[in-house]
Amino acid sequence: MYRSHNCGELRMDHVGQTVTLSGWVQKSRDLGGLTFVDLRDRYGITQLVFNMDENQVLTEKARKLGREFVVRAEGQVRERSSKNANRATGNIEIDVKDLQILNASKTPPFTIEEDTDGGEDLRMKYRYLDLRRGPLQRNLMFRSKLAVETRKYLSDVGFIEVETPNLIKSTPEGARDFVVPSRMNPGEFYALPQSPQTFKQILMVGGFDKYFQIVKCFRDEDLRADRQPEFTQIDCEMSFVTRDQILDTFEGLTKYLFKQMLDTELPDFPKMSYDEAMERYGSDKPDTRFGMEFTDMTETVKGKGFGVFDSAEFIAGICAEGIAESYSNKDLKQLTEWLQRPQIGCKGLVYAKLNNDGTIKSTVGKFYSDDDLKLWAEKMGGKSGDILLLLCGEKEKTQKQLNELRLEMGRRLGLMDPKVFNPLWVVDFPLLEWDEESERFHAMHHPFTSPKTEDIDRMMTGDHETMKALRADAYDLVINGVEIGGGSVRIHDRDLQSKNFDLLGFTKEEAEAQFGFLLGAFEYGAPPHGGIAFGFDRLNAVMNGQNSIRDFIAFPKNTSGRDMMIDAPSPVDNEQLDELYLSLQEIEKSGA
Ligand code: ASP
């Protein structure tokens, strides 16, 4: 027998019992005649004690144990003389009578503790060691439970889990596809799904009514802390439902998950239109844990001879509360430089300090009288002790920049409480986005999203400008500034879907070749339907107040898309290429 108990289990009640534990050596200490070894498994850490006076051979053996050796120890549970209140097993220790080394270990390249000294690539290369650390163990256990609870909730309300294929044809979600060559079909390729979008819609046509799947999706995009080339979604679709019924269902799921996992009762989720989110926060995923909302100052500040403002399309500001005294000119200069970095690209920052003594100091004091500046303060809700921060330029760009500034000030001023969760639905997104460069419309969500009912007629008959103003029945679930999920009511009418493909620049032939199966299905009684997908990795991270999804994925890829442990991607030999018709010679021979 390897163990009678695990390393997190023993308490004062067990004192006097003979037990067997197995695990990894976290660390060992020699104190005169006594040797202490911390033995670790995924349940916790238990202290083993060896006494030189009582058993010299055994204690010498214990002294030779290195970090991460795997051992089995048998002994008696006894009360500790110096207790460790920070550890669940901290009241007891094991007086070891027998020690067996099950496996030795090389010295690990980084410390296997709560905090490690290992850099990211090193930790990924030795993922099996990193996975032994407490934070990763807890993250993956959290993830496992989150999946269980998701399945519980959704199946309780009638959803059926259905698997959809991974070797498919491109499903456009706005990223590049990963492609897989087909040996049996020379010169032809599968695409890995960017999402199961078309399949879940086909399942609705197939009568399944309520579908879900916890599913891998693949997108060949540049990576960031919250993006991986393969990631997991909770993917869902429903038939015969209105938008609000869909939102209610998934608000229910989200509230249930927060309650089960964190014992947190979420408030009802407010709905905010895309336009309102952009006006108030300059972002379609606003962090609503704090205020500092935008004030449009365009009309207020023009016409006083300050050329930069006078020539700007849009001027807006935020009010940073209570920092007039603590923020020096040097801090403001540094903030301006932060805004001028190419990632943000501001030309400059205009500010007005509302000093506690009633005076106002502004970078543009030359052009604006005290009364003018008082009017600014009034408009922006500023009071003594606050600083007004204004940016200007082309509207969309300025909104984006001011959003960055707002978030940065939120971070600097500690306004983003990690214990607070502020969910909301952002609704009524634009249907189409005009891309100047390619001179084409792109689907803001994806090509299967329905326009709002009241916009359907305009979509079928309207001109180019009309198309820009169409609203979609699309929605995002946002929590603390992170897009947790997104979805839409779908088009279920063949003509409307054809029109949408047409607007997106697909010829009839292209649409038929790529999505003929869906258009075909729509001719056989497609029910009205809609759905959503949650980013499962992100949901895990946000619920744990973290930005990066990497430590919620057992085997993630680094920012270059590499798996450092198995060293993928990697070259394949010529024979394999030949077999897949990927060498030029073979493609020519096959006539494809
Ligand atoms: N397929 C969509 C996505 O991956 C979600 C949806 O519309 O249900 O974002």
Side-chain angles (χ1 to χ4, degrees):
M1 180 178 66
Y2 287 111
R3 56 183 174 189
S4 61
H5 296 80
N6 64 52
C7 296
E9 199 178 345
L10 298 170
R11 302 285 184 275
M12 287 298 285
D13 295 352
H14 298 93
V15 167
Q17 288 185 21
T18 297
V19 298
T20 309
L21 301 181
S22 287
W24 288 265
V25 173
Q26 173 91 10
K27 72 176 174 221
S28 62
R29 300 178 300 283
D30 290 328
L31 297 180
L34 295 177
T35 294
F36 296 97
V37 172
D38 281 347
L39 193 67
R40 185 196 70 235
D41 64 13
R42 86 163 158 96
Y43 307 93
I45 295 178
T46 300
Q47 175 163 292
L48 311 179
V49 197
F50 300 84
N51 191 332
M52 197 56 115
D53 293 342
E54 280 168 23
N55 193 333
Q56 190 179 347
V57 179
L58 198 67
T59 308
E60 267 161 14
K61 195 170 174 188
R63 283 188 172 181
K64 293 204 189 92
L65 293 175
R67 274 165 55 205
E68 300 308 310
F69 273 48
V70 186
V71 302
R72 172 188 179 279
E74 210 180 307
Q76 210 175 38
V77 185
R78 70 176 187 211
E79 185 172 0
R80 262 162 85 155
S81 52
S82 70
K83 301 196 166 54
N84 178 352
N86 297 324
R87 196 176 274 176
T89 61
N91 287 341
I92 56 98
E93 61 193 6
I94 312 296
D95 179 14
V96 180
K97 304 282 185 246
D98 183 41
L99 175 73
Q100 226 179 314
I101 296 177
L102 302 175
N103 218 335
S105 169
K106 293 210 265 181
T107 305
F110 49 83
T111 52
I112 300 176
E113 310 254 341
E114 284 293 299
D115 288 316
T116 179
D117 54 357
E120 189 138 62
D121 273 1
L122 196 65
R123 287 174 45 209
M124 283 194 190
K125 176 162 179 194
Y126 297 95
R127 193 66 171 172
Y128 41 87
L129 296 179
D130 206 20
L131 285 169
R132 289 182 194 165
R133 294 196 307 117
L136 275 107
Q137 298 248 323
R138 287 193 297 274
N139 287 355
L140 293 183
M141 285 186 239
F142 185 95
R143 183 183 173 111
S144 164
K145 177 153 193 266
L146 192 63
V148 170
E149 293 296 347
T150 300
R151 290 198 163 94
K152 238 193 241 168
Y153 184 88
L154 288 176
S155 45
D156 278 356
V157 295
F159 282 77
I160 297 162
E161 187 163 14
V162 183
E163 286 165 276
T164 52
N166 276 341
L167 296 174
I168 66 163
K169 192 148 124 168
S170 175
T171 292
E173 296 279 1
R176 264 179 234 104
D177 287 323
F178 283 102
V179 294
V180 181
S182 163
R183 182 183 55 82
M184 287 191 281
N185 302 275
E188 296 191 317
F189 297 82
Y190 301 98
L192 299 181
Q194 291 186 35
S195 81
Q197 185 61 35
T198 47
F199 286 96
K200 66 175 171 174
Q201 292 191 240
I202 296 280
L203 284 170
M204 294 304 107
V205 183
F208 276 88
D209 193 73
K210 285 179 180 166
Y211 139 94
F212 87 102
Q213 183 181 191
I214 299 183
V215 61
K216 272 292 177 73
C217 301
F218 306 85
R219 297 185 191 176
D220 189 0
E221 311 179 90
D222 294 335
L223 306 184
R224 298 188 307 232
D226 65 345
R227 265 201 202 149
Q228 282 277 308
E230 49 179 306
F231 61 97
T232 305
Q233 287 187 339
I234 309 171
D235 190 47
C236 310
E237 197 75 6
M238 309 169 79
S239 293
F240 303 116
V241 279
T242 60
R243 181 199 75 175
D244 285 348
Q245 286 173 312
I246 302 173
L247 298 191
D248 284 349
T249 304
F250 294 102
E251 186 166 323
L253 168 66
T254 312
K255 284 178 174 168
Y256 172 82
L257 294 176
F258 272 80
K259 178 74 193 149
Q260 294 305 113
M261 301 298 296
L262 303 173
D263 201 20
T264 295
E265 309 262 358
L266 291 182
D268 287 341
F269 301 4
K271 295 187 185 87
M272 188 185 293
S273 76
Y274 170 87
D275 286 343
E276 188 183 340
M278 293 308 290
E279 293 300 326
R280 289 171 60 186
Y281 301 98
S283 166
D284 59 5
K285 41 178 194 299
D287 188 333
T288 53
R289 277 174 299 177
F290 63 101
M292 242 195 263
E293 292 185 22
F294 293 11
T295 308
D296 182 345
M297 298 293 286
T298 315
E299 295 313 318
T300 316
V301 301
K302 277 188 184 250
K304 300 281 177 176
F306 179 44
V308 177
F309 277 177
D310 287 349
S311 62
E313 181 195 353
F314 179 71
I315 304 140
I318 53 173
C319 171
E321 285 180 27
I323 60 165
E325 297 288 305
S326 56
Y327 252 60
S328 65
N329 289 348
K330 197 167 139 226
D331 293 328
L332 286 158
K333 185 161 167 262
Q334 191 260 335
L335 187 64
T336 309
E337 282 162 7
W338 183 87
L339 285 163
Q340 286 168 333
R341 291 172 316 145
Q343 297 94 306
I344 304 200
C346 287
K347 290 219 176 63
L349 168 70
V350 168
Y351 64 83
K353 253 189 180 184
L354 312 177
N355 294 320
N356 281 338
D357 62 10
T359 59
I360 305 181
K361 193 166 164 290
S362 170
T363 28
V364 292
K366 266 210 302 222
F367 302 100
Y368 297 91
S369 67
D370 274 6
D371 280 347
D372 291 335
L373 296 173
K374 277 195 189 121
L375 183 65
W376 289 20
E378 210 174 283
K379 279 241 152 185
M380 294 173 65
K383 51 184 182 349
S384 296
D386 299 347
I387 301 186
L388 312 176
L389 303 165
L390 287 83
L391 298 179
C392 70
E394 190 251 313
K395 183 165 181 182
E396 238 172 70
K397 206 164 139 195
T398 307
Q399 282 178 327
K400 270 198 193 128
Q401 294 166 337
L402 196 56
N403 166 50
E404 295 293 341
L405 177 60
R406 174 179 176 271
L407 294 176
E408 179 64 14
M409 292 313 290
R411 271 187 290 272
R412 289 188 185 194
L413 304 179
L415 303 176
M416 295 162 162
D417 184 346
K419 293 265 174 310
V420 170
F421 295 100
N422 261 22
L424 77 152
W425 292 109
V426 177
V427 299
D428 298 348
F429 279 80
L431 182 70
L432 304 164
E433 228 176 347
W434 180 250
D435 182 42
E436 290 293 347
E437 219 166 279
S438 58
E439 300 209 315
R440 280 180 49 177
F441 279 118
H442 291 296
M444 184 112 172
H445 185 47
H446 53 54
F448 315 106
T449 294
S450 175
K452 290 189 78 74
T453 318
E454 59 269 29
D455 280 2
I456 293 181
D457 284 347
R458 289 199 295 153
M459 175 167 166
M460 294 306 273
T461 56
D463 61 9
H464 184 79
E465 284 310 304
T466 310
M467 299 308 160
K468 287 188 184 168
L470 296 174
R471 296 290 121 172
D473 238 336
Y475 34 79
D476 277 355
L477 171 60
V478 176
I479 301 180
N480 295 358
V482 181
E483 181 194 326
I484 291 294
S488 58
V489 173
R490 325 296 182 189
I491 297 172
H492 64 280
D493 174 81
R494 186 192 161 110
D495 292 343
L496 192 59
Q497 187 64 66
S498 291
K499 173 74 188 176
N500 206 25
F501 285 141
D502 187 32
L503 285 171
L504 294 170
F506 290 89
T507 63
K508 287 250 163 332
E509 295 69 34
E510 282 166 349
E512 198 53 47
Q514 219 180 327
F515 303 113
F517 65 98
L518 189 69
L519 293 169
F522 283 178
E523 291 176 7
Y524 288 93
H529 60 284
I532 193 167
F534 286 61
F536 186 61
D537 314 286
R538 264 190 214 171
L539 182 61
N540 275 282
V542 165
M543 289 179 95
N544 286 283
Q546 294 186 27
N547 294 327
S548 173
I549 61 173
R550 271 182 222 149
D551 284 347
F552 289 89
I553 296 174
F555 301 104
K557 302 203 170 32
N558 74 2
T559 41
S560 321
R562 298 200 71 82
D563 184 316
M564 300 298 287
M565 184 179 74
I566 59 174
D567 194 22
S570 57
V572 296
D573 58 35
N574 278 335
E575 249 164 71
Q576 207 172 348
L577 288 177
D578 285 350
E579 204 172 54
L580 294 168
Y581 302 91
L582 283 181
S583 57
L584 263 183
Q585 209 185 347
E586 285 304 319
I587 292 179
E588 273 157 22
K589 248 198 272 168
S590 77

